[in-house]
Amino acid sequence: MPKTVLIVEDVQDISKILSLRLDMYGYSYVLASNGREGLARMREEKPDLVLLDIRMPDFNGFDLLNVMLADDEICHIPVIMCTASAEADTEARCLEMGAKFYITKPFDHVYLRTCIDSCIGPPEGEK
Amino acid sequence: MGGTREKASILIVDDNPAKLKAIKGIFDGMALDVSSATSGKDALKLILDVDFAVILLDVKMPGMDGYETAEIVRSLERTQNTPIIFITAHLIDETDISKGYSLGVVDYVTSPIAPEILRAKVAVFANLFSMRDQLRKIVESNADGIVIIDDGGNTCLVNPAAELLFDRPAASMVGEPFGFPTGDNVEIEVLRRDREPLVAEIRTVEIEWEGRHARLMSLHDITDRKKDEILLQEAKDELEERVEERIFELSTLYDLSKSIGWVVKYEDLFRLGVSSIGKVMDFDLVGVLHSTESSSEIVITRTTPIVDTVVKEACGILIEKFNTAGGTVFGPDDYQLHVVDAFPKEEGLPSSESLTFHACTPLDVGEKLIGTMIVASTGENAFTDAQVRLFETIANEIGSAVHRLNSLMESEERRTRTIINSIREGVLFIDTDGRTTLSNPTADSVLELYALRQDREKDAVREVVEKALALPGSHAEVEFETAHGDLLRNYHLEATTVQGMNGDISGTAVIIRDITNEREMERLRSSFLSSISHDLRTPLTSVKEYVAILLDGYGGDLSAEQEDCLQIASRNAERLQALIEDLLTVTRIEAHGFNVSKKDTPFSSIIDVCIKSLLPKARKKEINLEAESSSGISVYVDQLRISQVLTNLIDNALKFTPEGGEVKVKTQAQNDYLLVSVSDNGRGIPKEEIPRIFDLFYKVSTGDEYGAVGGTGLGLFISSEMVTAHGGRIWVESTLGEGTTFFFTLPISSKKAGLRAFLSDAVDHSLKHDLPLSVLVMNFEKANTDGIMLNKVKQNLGPEDHVIIYGNDLESMVVAMFTEEKYTKQARERLVSGVPGDIVNAESLCFSKERRNPRMVLGEVLKKLSPVHQKV
């Protein structure tokens, strides 16, 4: 079984291109189009990695991160935060809260792959 | 010679009457009284009654002869100087002649007598006699005293005037020493029996007296003149004194009227009046009643510790005077009383129970009565009329000044009120007792609404006023938020202390500004920036990534034409991205400036990231991009910002360097700074463009030569701003056709330098915001680089502790806290119990304002770092 990545992203075009890339690299993926769905998927699927958009309506990336870090079941899952509305302190905030990486959109897919790799290693086998 | 003078007398003595007659005949026709005697005896009888000018004496006579007679004549005082001419019938021998001369005989005439000769000789003596007679008469009749003294200092002659002067008979003086100073223009004082002393002025002339040298002194009685002089001097002195007094009074009045023109406060005015009065008279109390339409006050200044009942008494007099002078009658208690004590506190007991003397005068200008003024004394000595008049003059001056001040105040207040009321901002003036003495409608309405809602406006106002009074800059700002209907409104309070004329703080001016719109604009701008970046980046991400995935072979192989088209799309998407990023950065800089979060960062890691990200671009252009690895030097920077700068410079170098060229990054430590250079061997920059190269939107004109360069004109501007924000410097050197080198400097963070910079910031912050400063120094068991320690510490400190943290080496951590010492200690307790096992020790240091200089703080902190950590 290839490692599973959960994509939490409200813009469909973006989640699609992310899934295409993951597919291309050989990972399997699960999609969630908002924060609450993302949390539910996380609890159901226990993915190996979460690609988490920050700016989402209602329940945003930070909210999700806070809840998951407090949940012993899923707090260990590495998270890569991803946003298009970067403000000066966003990166620091993400890393302080416990995210492993922080990527700004438009992202460089080479850098994205490097980050994924450094979190969970290649699609098959141990990290 | 005057014709009135008496004839001189001569005496002829001869025993022969025929001869006597003959000689007498010789003098017929001369103005002489000729007496004759026929014997020495008869002659002596005559000379007792008459002073003769000359005696013609026959030598040879029976009985008493000429010699004998001459001897007796000489022996008598009256005649001792009377010249004697001997008449002889024949030649006498030498012995007789000398015998005659020794007796004082002046001449000899022998018979037969030559009448002309005798007449001539007698005429000489007669003249001499009458001249002497004249002289004596002059001397005797002179009103001035005349005294003649000889060389031995003995008195020879004293005239009647002198007798009178000395109050002594001449006889008691002649022959005695004179006994007074002599000389010319000498004044002597003569003490006289039974009569007043007398002052005489002496003039002295040298004369011949009785054939000897002598001095004639005329003594002029100047006693009266002296008395007059003294009287005159006294009169003059008195006059001068009065003139001086008058001048002093005038100058007091002048000083008063001169300085009174500048006074703009009633109390200063009264103080000035009191001091002026004090210059011209001694008093115990001065009081002023000042009455305006709205209020009346009495200011009493007491210069001695008189009792309060006396003060009351003075108030009563002032009021009574005011009422009788036609003022609006008011009762005994319708005024405010201020008592000013102008005497040393320790000064003794009350001087008296009641006023013994006072002068009270109305203060009026034209028809208008504005008050009354009193000066009073409890002593015995009343004021002189002149002093009272002067007091009234001073009171007049004060009256006009008060009147002038009244109208000035009125117009000034009207003007101030008009201005203040028309100001859009709220304006308050709070006096030193915390009372609002002035406010405009804006302030009133804001505070009224605020008070209705929250009953907190006083708090906000009091807070800002207290802050302003406490701060050395005398200026403070506070913001508050309040609901206005359904709307939240933000207000900004700014307080500035106001100094009075004497330099003391007289109150605080508070300006209330509605900053709701500004806050709203800031919120809008911030959310606009955030959403515009999101809205631009999200579609761009799709464009970029879908093109990229096609180029990566998703969807099958591409034809050369298809790939070419997609490459163009990709390149332009990159450009669009760069443009958007730069624009957002510039917008952010212009809105807030930079938010730089500095940390110690090994510069090699920054270079590595930049080179790695740009290597593909360099390879594409076959440019040799290399970096001389820096020797592990760390810099105290915001890694993200500096990466952006370095990337931008390398990217530029790649753009402007032809294929096959070279781009090199070098670093070199220079004292506290790291010098970074990015050099290429490209086209170079024209000299005239170099000064403008870091300007906003500036683009170098040669850019397009290598095609597809298309910068935004923002990159170097942003780089320059960022380097400057780090305290560094950026510049460029370039030679056209040979290449360009960009240089910039960054602060090196030896641990100490980083710590110094951090502490210096903390000190600045605390001083700027007037906050306490304490520093918590923690040493950990082992280095902890995964960020967990930092998070743990942060969780245990929390935002309420007002902290900034330095310590990414994570063997130690230094926390600056801007709270009071006790809270710092509490925070330390929380840390020690909340992060157990990891903390070796945690100590808090407190820095009073005087000790708060970066060097001192650094020294203290370094001492608290464990020795292992200090070394690094």
Side-chain angles (χ1 to χ4, degrees):
Chain A
M1 265 294 276
K3 289 167 185 159
T4 309
V5 178
L6 170 63
I7 302 167
V8 188
E9 169 65 68
D10 62 328
V11 182
Q12 224 183 338
D13 289 347
I14 303 292
S15 52
K16 186 178 176 188
I17 188 70
L18 285 170
S19 64
L20 289 178
R21 278 291 176 192
L22 288 171
D23 199 35
M24 210 172 180
Y25 299 149
Y27 298 97
S28 69
Y29 61 87
V30 184
L31 292 179
S33 63
N34 63 55
R36 295 196 192 280
E37 194 189 337
L39 188 62
R41 285 271 170 281
M42 231 169 148
R43 285 180 171 144
E44 288 159 19
E45 309 280 340
K46 305 275 181 333
D48 297 288
L49 175 71
V50 183
L51 283 182
L52 179 58
D53 186 26
I54 294 176
R55 192 176 162 125
M56 286 180 295
D58 187 24
F59 192 76
N60 70 24
F62 288 127
D63 299 330
L64 196 156
L65 191 62
N66 271 328
V67 175
M68 76 159 269
L69 286 175
D71 186 337
D72 288 344
E73 295 277 297
I74 48 173
C75 67
H76 62 279
I77 302 172
V79 176
I80 297 175
M81 303 286 273
C82 194
T83 187
S85 56
E87 276 157 45
D89 57 349
T90 314
E91 180 181 12
R93 194 173 159 199
C94 290
L95 298 182
E96 271 170 35
M97 283 178 74
K100 287 289 171 196
F101 287 99
Y102 166 84
I103 295 172
T104 52
K105 289 186 231 174
F107 52 82
D108 179 34
H109 56 267
V110 181
Y111 181 59
L112 173 69
R113 188 172 186 181
T114 313
C115 293
I116 296 172
D117 195 53
S118 104
C119 287
I120 54 171
E124 307 285 346
E126 291 304 305
K127 181 192 166 183
Chain B
M1 315 247 161
T4 54
R5 80 174 196 229
E6 283 173 38
K7 290 175 184 171
S9 303
I10 64 168
L11 175 65
I12 306 163
V13 187
D14 205 316
D15 59 324
N16 184 344
K19 197 174 159 198
L20 197 63
K21 197 178 172 190
I23 295 170
K24 255 182 108 171
I26 290 172
F27 302 111
D28 285 349
M30 284 176 76
L32 292 170
D33 271 335
V34 183
S35 304
S36 57
T38 50
S39 69
K41 230 178 187 170
D42 292 345
L44 289 177
K45 276 181 199 158
L46 282 171
I47 61 172
L48 289 175
D49 296 330
V50 183
D51 286 332
F52 293 103
V54 64
I55 300 169
L56 301 176
L57 189 57
D58 187 18
V59 178
K60 247 184 147 79
M61 287 187 295
M64 192 188 279
D65 70 358
Y67 293 111
E68 249 179 302
T69 310
E71 206 170 340
I72 293 167
V73 166
R74 274 290 161 272
S75 69
L76 296 172
E77 195 190 329
R78 179 171 188 147
T79 53
Q80 61 180 335
N81 292 315
T82 310
I84 299 167
I85 298 173
F86 272 183
I87 301 167
T88 58
H90 47 80
L91 275 170
I92 54 170
D93 59 26
E94 289 289 317
T95 323
D96 293 334
I97 290 172
S98 56
K99 188 180 174 189
Y101 281 129
S102 72
L103 288 169
V105 171
V106 295
D107 209 353
Y108 285 88
V109 180
T110 50
S111 297
I113 294 168
E116 293 75 22
I117 291 172
L118 187 62
R119 282 160 69 121
K121 283 186 178 178
V122 167
V124 168
F125 289 110
N127 268 336
L128 199 61
F129 177 83
S130 59
M131 273 167 71
R132 225 154 147 186
D133 195 47
Q134 292 278 314
L135 184 62
R136 180 175 290 111
K137 278 179 184 155
I138 290 169
V139 166
E140 288 191 346
S141 64
N142 206 315
D144 282 349
I146 289 174
V147 175
I148 294 173
I149 59 170
D150 62 20
D151 281 351
N154 292 325
T155 310
C156 306
L157 180 137
V158 176
N159 75 344
E163 284 185 300
L164 209 64
L165 206 136
F166 289 108
D167 196 25
R168 284 168 69 187
S172 74
M173 297 168 74
V174 171
E176 301 292 322
F178 180 52
F180 287 97
T182 58
D184 211 15
N185 288 325
V186 176
E187 278 179 19
I188 58 168
E189 194 182 40
V190 184
L191 298 169
R192 302 181 297 181
R193 258 176 316 164
D194 308 329
R195 291 178 63 186
E196 275 184 28
L198 166 151
V199 181
E201 188 183 57
I202 300 180
R203 288 179 190 278
T204 302
V205 286
E206 310 280 319
I207 56 159
E208 194 89 3
W209 182 255
E210 308 291 1
R212 287 194 303 275
H213 181 260
R215 276 169 293 171
L216 180 144
M217 292 181 299
S218 70
L219 297 110
H220 186 65
D221 183 352
I222 56 168
T223 310
D224 290 346
R225 197 181 85 195
K226 275 280 165 195
K227 271 185 196 155
D228 288 349
E229 269 177 19
I230 287 164
L231 285 176
L232 202 64
Q233 188 62 43
E234 277 169 7
K236 200 178 141 202
D237 288 350
E238 197 191 325
L239 193 69
E240 272 176 8
E241 206 173 302
R242 279 174 54 194
V243 166
E244 259 173 40
E245 264 172 29
R246 187 75 189 125
I247 286 173
F248 180 72
E249 290 168 7
L250 283 173
S251 75
T252 305
L253 282 175
Y254 173 71
D255 285 348
L256 176 70
S257 63
K258 194 175 61 177
S259 34
I260 221 166
W262 297 102
V263 174
V264 293
K265 275 163 81 179
Y266 294 109
E267 56 251 54
D268 291 344
L269 200 60
F270 300 150
R271 196 182 306 138
L272 208 62
V274 170
S275 100
S276 288
I277 295 167
K279 282 181 193 166
V280 295
M281 55 214 289
D282 282 329
F283 61 88
D284 292 311
L285 171 152
V286 165
V288 179
L289 186 162
H290 173 219
S291 177
T292 63
E293 280 164 20
S294 53
S295 68
S296 295
E297 64 167 0
I298 293 180
V299 181
I300 299 281
T301 305
R302 41 183 179 187
T303 58
T304 55
I306 48 171
V307 290
D308 290 344
T309 49
V310 176
V311 171
K312 276 278 169 200
E313 190 185 341
C315 292
I317 298 169
L318 282 168
I319 291 166
E320 196 191 330
K321 186 81 181 180
F322 188 76
N323 290 344
T324 53
T328 329
V329 175
F330 64 81
D333 295 314
D334 299 344
Y335 60 89
Q336 273 197 308
L337 175 65
H338 300 284
V339 179
V340 181
D341 286 340
F343 54 84
K345 281 270 171 284
E346 64 274 11
E347 201 164 279
L349 295 162
S351 50
S352 171
E353 295 295 314
S354 134
L355 295 173
T356 54
F357 192 86
H358 73 264
C360 190
T361 180
L363 301 177
D364 44 12
V365 178
E367 296 290 290
K368 203 174 167 188
L369 182 73
I370 51 177
T372 46
M373 189 162 182
I374 187 172
V375 61
S377 165
T378 58
E380 292 303 312
N381 294 331
F383 312 126
T384 64
D385 289 350
Q387 283 174 327
V388 171
R389 273 199 304 279
L390 202 61
F391 160 72
E392 283 166 0
T393 313
I394 290 171
N396 257 337
E397 281 283 343
I398 289 170
S400 345
V402 167
H403 179 67
R404 181 186 55 80
L405 207 50
N406 282 347
S407 29
L408 186 74
M409 287 293 182
E410 273 166 33
S411 69
E412 191 63 28
E413 202 177 315
R414 261 203 307 280
R415 192 162 55 184
T416 308
R417 183 142 289 286
T418 312
I419 293 171
I420 285 178
N421 285 353
S422 66
I423 292 175
R424 229 155 39 105
E425 279 79 22
V427 178
L428 291 172
F429 188 82
I430 316 284
D431 69 12
T432 44
D433 296 329
R435 287 185 304 241
T436 304
T437 55
L438 186 82
S439 68
N440 68 352
T442 316
D444 291 343
S445 68
V446 169
L447 295 180
E448 213 172 291
L449 271 167
Y450 190 29
L452 274 177
R453 295 273 168 187
Q454 275 144 315
D455 194 30
R456 251 182 54 199
E457 109 277 9
K458 292 288 176 204
D459 290 347
V461 173
R462 200 187 307 131
E463 184 187 344
V464 76
V465 167
E466 278 169 7
K467 263 190 173 178
L469 290 172
L471 282 179
S474 311
H475 182 92
E477 295 175 39
V478 154
E479 281 187 31
F480 68 85
E481 199 178 62
T482 184
H484 225 262
D486 290 337
L487 237 66
L488 268 185
R489 297 208 72 85
N490 297 75
Y491 292 100
H492 175 262
L493 299 187
E494 190 175 344
T496 309
T497 54
V498 178
Q499 285 187 349
M501 296 286 286
N502 52 4
D504 291 347
I505 287 171
S506 63
T508 311
V510 181
I511 309 285
I512 304 173
R513 206 153 52 85
D514 185 343
I515 51 160
T516 311
N517 289 344
E518 282 168 46
R519 286 281 168 276
E520 186 57 26
M521 283 305 289
E522 272 167 37
R523 271 195 287 271
L524 279 177
R525 185 158 53 202
S526 189
S527 81
F528 171 75
L529 262 181
S530 171
S531 68
I532 195 83
S533 42
H534 185 266
D535 293 352
L536 286 170
R537 281 164 174 160
T538 306
L540 188 61
T541 309
S542 291
V543 172
K544 250 188 81 186
E545 287 311 302
Y546 283 100
V547 168
I549 203 164
L550 285 177
L551 282 168
D552 281 355
Y554 176 79
D557 290 342
L558 299 168
S559 69
E561 290 80 7
Q562 284 170 330
E563 188 175 335
D564 200 28
C565 292
L566 287 173
Q567 285 291 2
I568 292 170
S570 169
R571 212 161 55 220
N572 280 285
E574 296 276 354
R575 265 187 76 179
L576 192 55
Q577 185 186 348
L579 190 61
I580 289 167
E581 293 308 321
D582 283 356
L583 270 174
L584 288 174
T585 307
V586 169
T587 314
R588 214 174 283 132
I589 291 173
E590 306 223 304
H592 319 282
F594 272 106
N595 209 347
V596 185
S597 61
K598 296 182 197 175
K599 280 182 195 166
D600 286 344
T601 312
F603 196 68
S604 55
S605 71
I606 296 177
I607 292 187
D608 289 349
V609 171
C610 294
I611 297 277
K612 209 180 268 176
S613 71
L614 287 165
L615 258 181
K617 207 169 186 173
R619 286 201 185 115
K620 222 180 269 176
K621 249 178 130 178
E622 290 176 1
I623 290 170
N624 181 23
L625 170 62
E626 54 180 55
E628 256 172 43
S629 74
S630 50
S631 53
I633 293 174
S634 282
V635 282
Y636 185 63
V637 297
D638 184 327
Q639 184 173 357
L640 208 70
R641 305 280 184 207
I642 295 305
S643 300
Q644 206 175 332
V645 172
L646 191 59
T647 304
N648 181 249
L649 292 180
I650 298 173
D651 195 45
N652 271 349
L654 292 175
K655 273 186 207 164
F656 293 101
T657 304
E659 291 193 2
E662 208 173 46
V663 173
K664 280 186 178 166
V665 180
K666 289 182 193 169
T667 56
Q668 191 192 343
Q670 286 185 337
N671 300 324
D672 288 346
Y673 284 87
L674 182 71
L675 175 68
V676 184
S677 66
V678 177
S679 50
D680 64 52
N681 57 355
R683 179 77 173 81
I685 304 162
K687 217 176 195 164
E688 62 276 12
E689 297 195 35
I690 287 180
R692 298 183 54 198
I693 202 161
F694 295 105
D695 290 355
L696 187 56
F697 298 120
Y698 190 78
K699 291 191 208 176
V700 176
S701 59
T702 54
D704 288 335
E705 199 169 316
Y706 306 110
V709 172
T712 56
L714 301 171
L716 286 177
F717 168 76
I718 293 168
S719 299
S720 155
E721 292 286 313
M722 286 179 175
V723 169
T724 311
H726 281 84
R729 211 161 68 79
I730 187 166
W731 70 98
V732 64
E733 288 170 9
S734 183
T735 311
L736 213 54
E738 286 181 23
T740 302
T741 305
F742 278 89
F743 297 92
F744 64 95
T745 59
L746 294 171
I748 288 179
S749 63
S750 63
K751 178 167 174 175
K752 218 162 152 181
L755 197 55
R756 185 192 297 132
F758 167 78
L759 291 172
S760 172
D761 285 353
V763 167
D764 281 355
H765 183 80
S766 73
L767 292 177
K768 191 173 164 196
H769 299 283
D770 196 37
L771 295 166
L773 172 67
S774 48
V775 177
L776 202 57
V777 182
M778 285 169 280
N779 292 306
F780 301 121
E781 211 158 70
K782 58 182 188 343
N784 186 324
T785 50
D786 62 6
I788 291 172
M789 177 69 77
L790 194 67
N791 279 329
K792 270 195 201 164
V793 170
K794 277 186 178 171
Q795 279 161 19
N796 279 289
L797 285 176
E800 73 279 8
D801 288 328
H802 302 284
V803 296
I804 53 173
I805 298 183
Y806 169 85
N808 64 327
D809 66 84
L810 295 174
E811 286 167 342
S812 61
M813 193 179 286
V814 177
V815 182
M817 305 184 83
F818 303 103
T819 57
E820 288 161 34
E821 195 177 4
K822 59 175 177 181
Y823 296 121
T824 311
K825 284 189 173 149
Q826 286 169 13
R828 193 191 64 192
E829 296 312 312
R830 278 206 303 280
L831 274 176
V832 173
S833 57
V835 194
D838 294 319
I839 295 179
V840 176
N841 56 36
E843 287 196 66
S844 56
L845 303 164
C846 226
F847 294 93
S848 65
K849 229 171 198 172
E850 308 77 61
R851 289 175 60 225
R852 233 176 278 170
N853 80 61
R855 186 190 297 266
M856 190 179 276
V857 174
L858 177 71
E860 294 287 309
V861 169
L862 281 178
K863 269 189 239 162
K864 297 297 174 195
L865 287 177
S866 71
V868 183
H869 304 153
Q870 284 178 32
K871 256 188 253 167
V872 184

